């Protein structure tokens, strides 16, 4: 197990070597470390959690649309390491249920999926979440803020994936919703603090935007 996990770290480090949108190798490592910590509290299968966390962005539709449907990158890596077919199936299921997709978002059907989903969402909020939001927006040529463009708070899965809104709108369309979507008690605890930090940031940002001193 440990050897396969270390190989997975090496694999994603190379896979995301030129990724600068906030879905980089260090994002993956943070998700892995948090997911492992959550899994220990939830008595989840550590191997499933580790592989799902490390490979969760390997076939992300935003990064690799051609492999997203069947999770080809994740599956091929696990097969190359001789991972059992049943474990591969469980890892793929966990990965498939992680993403936020507007009104199409699902609650994972397994405790392993819940741990990884919470870990991924925790990395999308708080100080690092703020940095990642603007990093992603800049990488995709999005406006930082435009008060003439209101946030769309009830997007379908397809609308969310096609959305090209501002970085500030992304907070209202997704990030500020994540606290209330956490699955685990520890995830909820951590999310409270990070959500509060984001709201304070937005208050200051919008105050400065309007020229208040």
């Amino acid at each position: 197990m440990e050897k396969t996990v270390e190989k997975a770290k090496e694999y994603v480090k190379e896979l995301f070597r030129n990724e600068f949108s906030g879905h980089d190798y260090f994002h993956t490592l943070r998700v892995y470390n948090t997911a492992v910590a959550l899994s220990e509290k939830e008595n989840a299968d550590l191997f499933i959690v580790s592989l799902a966390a490390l490979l969760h962005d390997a076939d992300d539709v935003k990064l690799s649309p051609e492999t997203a449907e069947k999770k080809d990158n994740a599956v091929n890596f696990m097969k190359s390491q001789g991972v059992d077919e049943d474990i591969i199936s469980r890892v793929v299921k966990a990965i498939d249920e992680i993403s936020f997709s507007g009104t199409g978002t699902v609650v994972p059907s397994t405790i392993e999926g819940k741990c990884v989903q919470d870990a991924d969402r925790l990395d999308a909020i708080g100080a690092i979440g703020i940095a990642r939001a603007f990093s992603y927006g800049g990488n995709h040529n999005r406006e930082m803020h435009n008060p003439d463009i209101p946030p769309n708070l009830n997007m379908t899965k397809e609308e969310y994936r096609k959305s090209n809104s501002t970085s500030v709108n992304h907070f209202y369309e997704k990030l500020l919703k994540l606290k209330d979507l956490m699955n685990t008690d520890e995830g909820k605890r951590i999310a409270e603090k990070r959500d509060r930090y984001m709201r304070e940031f937005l208050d200051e940002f919008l105050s400065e935007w309007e020229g208040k001193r």
Side-chain angles (χ1 to χ4, degrees), residues 57-155:
D57 273 343
D59 299 284
D60 188 291
V61 68
K62 299 184 293 296
L63 308 177
S64 184
E66 68 279 4
T67 70
E69 183 177 355
K70 296 182 179 180
K71 307 294 181 286
D72 295 330
N73 288 333
V75 170
N76 290 338
F77 167 77
M78 287 186 283
K79 285 184 175 180
S80 76
Q81 300 302 309
V83 176
D84 183 81
E85 286 291 339
D86 177 62
I87 292 177
I88 292 176
S89 177
R90 291 171 65 189
V91 170
V92 168
K93 184 175 183 62
I95 293 173
D96 205 36
E97 296 175 338
I98 287 171
S99 294
F100 180 90
S101 305
T103 58
T105 300
V106 301
V107 176
S109 56
T110 66
I111 188 58
E112 289 77 22
K114 289 176 180 178
C115 288
V116 179
Q117 186 184 71
D118 277 10
D120 189 37
R121 289 176 172 178
L122 286 170
D123 205 59
I125 60 179
I128 286 179
I130 292 169
R132 290 183 64 220
F134 288 104
S135 177
Y136 185 87
N139 189 264
H140 288 76
N141 300 313
R142 294 184 178 185
E143 288 185 90
M144 183 169 64
H145 179 49
N146 185 334
D148 295 327
I149 302 175
N152 184 347
L153 302 179
N154 293 292
M155 285 185 279

Side-chain angles (χ1 to χ4, degrees), residues 21-35 38 53 56-57 98 115-136 170-171 174-175 178-179 182 186-187 190-191 194-195 198:
S21 73
H23 296 81
D24 56 13
Y25 170 64
F26 293 106
H27 161 66
T28 296
L29 276 189
R30 289 192 301 272
V31 171
Y32 163 73
N33 288 327
T34 301
L38 294 178
H56 81 280
D57 273 343
I98 287 171
C115 288
V116 179
Q117 186 184 71
D118 277 10
D120 189 37
R121 289 176 172 178
L122 286 170
D123 205 59
I125 60 179
I128 286 179
I130 292 169
R132 290 183 64 220
F134 288 104
S135 177
Y136 185 87
H170 183 62
F171 285 85
K174 174 184 177 181
L175 306 187
L178 297 183
K179 174 178 70 70
M182 292 291 158
E186 182 68 2
I190 299 170
R194 297 189 183 188
D195 180 81
M198 282 196 306

Side-chain angles (χ1 to χ4, degrees), residues 172-189:
Y172 299 98
E173 294 167 349
K174 174 184 177 181
L175 306 187
L176 295 177
K177 298 180 179 183
L178 297 183
K179 174 178 70 70
D180 294 329
L181 295 176
M182 292 291 158
N183 304 291
T184 65
D185 288 341
E186 182 68 2
K188 292 174 183 177
R189 185 190 69 78

